[in-house]
């Protein structure tokens, strides 16, 4: 089964206690690391985000620095130390706002969506988005090109060739000053980039799963897929199989560097 969402933080711990495997087996969970950010960097060919991923900087601290650095009082001079200082000193302020920006960008929520999400004025939100796109120009270009493509063709196409057909976009250009807003078309334009990111996630994940379980079958290993949660995988693994073997297989089939952008994973075990 595919579970779209489950409770996080304190509620998540309670839910996870309800999940058990029979005697002689264990859970092994795999999550992609900052996967939406990595996909966006790959699709948009954004060097700034690629640099962040290569150096394993915290994505929210990195965005906070890009957007709010003129408002920060930082003692560090080296970028690696700056990232640590931002996370420690501004975790509940600038970094918290940056987290909202990072989550909103793939959904193209705009200044209204961001202002509601982080609790600021629309003008402040627009200033933050302008700073983000100024630091990540390829992202802005990629999102605009998705809208232009949809306006011309009536659909948007993902990396794997899958298409999402849109009913209203061909008759409404979002980059012109339109006296009468076509809100249905505007809503469709907002999903153009999100479709490319979310569908890439699904295609990539399940291609990896097919490859992974092909080798599992060939080697006769007692490992089964229990469910996926967006970009996470939960496995039922026989206790006789060492964690190192499972980790090696997961890294082999799920981790990759695509055009310089690392798609990394985190793996955890529980009984």
């Amino acid at each position: 089964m595919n579970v779209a969402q489950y409770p996080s933080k304190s509620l998540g711990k309670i839910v996870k206690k309800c999940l058990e495997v029979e005697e002689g087996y264990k859970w092994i969970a795999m999550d992609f690391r900052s996967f939406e950010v990595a996909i966006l960097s790959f699709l948009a060919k954004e060097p700034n985000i690629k640099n962040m991923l290569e150096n394993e900087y915290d994505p929210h601290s990195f965005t906070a620095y890009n957007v709010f650095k003129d408002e920060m009082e930082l003692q560090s001079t080296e970028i690696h130390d700056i990232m640590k200082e931002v996370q420690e000193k501004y975790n509940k302020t600038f970094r918290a706002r940056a987290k909202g920006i990072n989550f909103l960008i793939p959904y193209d929520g705009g200044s209204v969506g961001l202002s509601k999400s982080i609790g600021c004025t629309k003008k402040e939100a627009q200033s933050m988005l302008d700073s983000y796109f100024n630091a990540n120009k390829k992202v802005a270009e990629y999102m605009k090109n998705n809208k232009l493509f949809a306006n011309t063709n009536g659909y948007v196409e993902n990396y794997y060739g899958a298409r999402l057909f849109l009913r209203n976009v061909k008759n409404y250009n979002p980059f012109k000053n339109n006296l009468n807003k076509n809100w249905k078309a505007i809503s469709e334009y907002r999903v153009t980039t999100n479709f490319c990111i979310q569908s890439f996630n699904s295609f990539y994940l399940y291609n990896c799963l097919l490859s992974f379980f092909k080798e599992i079958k060939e080697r006769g290993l007692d490992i089964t897929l229990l469910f996926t949660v967006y970009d996470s995988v939960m496995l039922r693994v026989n206790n006789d199989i060492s964690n190192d073997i499972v980790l090696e297989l997961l890294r082999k089939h799920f981790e990759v560097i695509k055009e310089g952008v690392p798609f990394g994973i985190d793996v955890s075990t529980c009984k």
Side-chain angles (χ1 to χ4, degrees):
M1 63 178 174
N2 184 292
V3 183
Q5 188 176 22
Y6 64 93
S8 61
K9 299 181 181 179
S10 59
L11 285 176
K13 294 178 181 178
I14 297 172
V15 171
K16 289 176 181 178
K17 288 180 180 179
C18 300
L19 304 175
E20 294 183 357
V21 287
E22 63 269 38
E23 189 72 25
Y25 288 87
K26 58 192 172 186
W27 294 94
I28 291 188
M30 184 219 76
D31 301 274
F32 282 104
R33 194 178 305 131
S34 304
F35 201 34
E36 278 193 348
V37 176
I39 293 171
L40 181 59
S41 174
F42 170 69
L43 295 177
K45 303 185 185 303
E46 175 53 62
N48 191 42
I49 301 177
K50 175 185 171 184
N51 175 62
M52 177 203 75
L53 294 167
E54 286 176 337
N55 289 283
E56 298 184 352
Y57 298 142
D58 171 64
H60 306 316
S61 298
F62 190 77
T63 294
Y65 179 68
N66 280 316
V67 174
F68 303 109
K69 58 185 174 183
D70 292 339
E71 302 175 53
M72 295 178 176
E73 296 181 0
L74 299 169
Q75 303 300 318
S76 305
T77 56
E78 298 295 329
I79 186 64
H80 182 76
D81 297 325
I82 289 172
M83 291 299 99
K84 288 183 178 180
E85 187 176 350
V86 170
Q87 190 163 7
E88 292 171 0
K89 188 183 292 186
Y90 297 109
N91 184 49
K92 294 184 179 180
T93 52
F94 295 128
R95 185 180 178 276
R97 288 191 162 195
K99 189 174 183 179
I101 295 171
N102 282 337
F103 286 146
L104 175 127
I105 291 297
Y107 294 89
D108 198 7
S111 58
V112 174
L114 182 60
S115 65
K116 292 179 180 179
S117 173
I118 65 176
C120 67
T121 66
K122 181 181 175 181
K123 183 177 180 181
E124 289 172 330
Q126 187 58 56
S127 177
M128 295 174 203
L129 291 174
D130 290 343
S131 295
Y132 175 91
F133 287 123
N134 186 55
N136 301 285
K137 292 182 173 61
K138 285 291 186 179
V139 172
E141 181 182 335
Y142 172 71
M143 295 175 73
K144 181 178 181 179
N145 286 341
N146 283 335
K147 292 184 176 73
L148 290 173
F149 183 92
N151 179 245
T152 300
N153 298 283
Y155 64 87
V156 65
E157 185 172 288
N158 78 354
Y159 178 79
Y160 294 91
R163 294 178 178 179
L164 174 67
F165 287 88
L166 304 164
R167 294 173 180 268
N168 300 284
V169 292
K170 292 191 73 172
N171 298 318
Y172 184 83
N173 189 328
F175 301 106
K176 291 183 178 180
N177 292 324
N178 299 286
L179 293 177
N180 297 314
K181 297 289 186 182
N182 184 333
W183 295 109
K184 290 184 178 180
I186 291 172
S187 178
E188 289 181 353
Y189 277 118
R190 284 177 178 159
V191 305
T192 54
T193 292
N194 185 248
F195 167 75
C196 292
I197 294 173
Q198 305 287 1
S199 61
F200 183 102
N201 174 95
S202 297
F203 276 76
Y204 182 82
L205 174 64
Y206 287 104
N207 279 331
C208 291
L209 282 170
L210 288 171
S211 172
F212 175 77
F213 278 103
K214 180 181 179 182
E215 181 165 351
I216 294 302
K217 183 178 180 180
E218 290 171 350
R219 294 175 60 171
L221 297 174
D222 188 4
I223 300 175
T224 55
L225 174 66
L226 292 172
F227 55 83
T228 64
V229 184
Y230 184 54
D231 58 1
S232 304
V233 173
M234 188 69 79
L235 302 171
R236 168 185 170 273
V237 180
N238 192 298
N239 282 335
D240 292 335
I241 303 172
S242 73
N243 293 344
D244 289 341
I245 289 176
V246 181
L247 179 59
E248 179 185 350
L249 285 167
L250 288 170
R251 285 178 171 167
K252 175 182 178 181
H253 292 280
F254 290 85
E255 282 196 330
V256 71
I257 297 177
K258 294 179 75 68
E259 298 181 15
V261 178
F263 289 178
I265 62 172
D266 295 313
V267 179
S268 59
T269 308
C270 52
K271 294 182 179 180

